[in-house]
Amino acid sequence: MTFNTDLPIIAGNWKMNGLNQSKKEIGSLLKKITNISKSNVILFPPFTIIETFAKLTENSGIFIGAQDCHHEDYGAYTSAISASMISDVNAKFVIVGHSETRTANNYTNNIIRLKAEAAHRNNLIPIVCVGESDLHRKSGDQFNFVKAQLEESLPQSTTRDNTIIAYEPIWAIGTGNTAATKDIVEMVNCIFSKLNSMKSNKKDIPRCLYGGSVNPSNSRDILSIENIGGLLVGGASLDSSQFSEIINLI
Ligand code: 13P
């Protein structure tokens, strides 16, 4: 089972949800997906069940990833989980720089870049999250803010094959307040013009997902936006009916 960089990506971030008993969700999800070969489906369960989920989804068409990683591979970092540990249990992806982890840990863009580099070193594909707060948007600073995040968080080694970007406006996460199509289009254009200025080769420009209150009713419109390579779904990915409905729209 290989990641197909030409297909859309539908990713589900479970955040701090999921116990061993949630493995039955994998069975129901697989039963409800009717078109598994048309997209790359990635689930990001909590660390404790990554190994179980990776085993359960082997060759099923669903990939497993982790929600964060440390920037070092090992050492005296109590409580931390490294990219090498994630790779060791057969996860293939890792989210870095999600706004919830940036805020909770005061992560700088520089740390996010080191995490993405650790992912690359350990054969994981990082999903590097960017996105402005309500305050930045209200002050009209959203484009400069996201451009600086890209400039400082993306490793030199970034290519379309080894890295994914997710635009997740903080004010849209978990609020039911999905960004308007116009706002997504404007920001995605800004992201791609910034990436074009950073990379001389088109093959090195990663794809961009949208995340923030995605659900079965709004996903078709968001997926039809030019240059949107897929979705990073939070709450709706916890429910196999809603998540499969989103996947089946592809
Ligand atoms: P919601 O879909 O619950 O808004 O979460 C989005 C998100 O943070 C995905 O990483």
Side-chain angles (χ1 to χ4, degrees), residues 13 15 95 98-100 129 168 172-176 211-214 232-236:
N13 176 8
K15 308 191 179 187
I95 296 173
H98 190 285
S99 58
E100 285 156 11
C129 298
E168 297 207 304
I173 296 177
T175 57
S213 295
V214 171
L232 181 51
V233 187

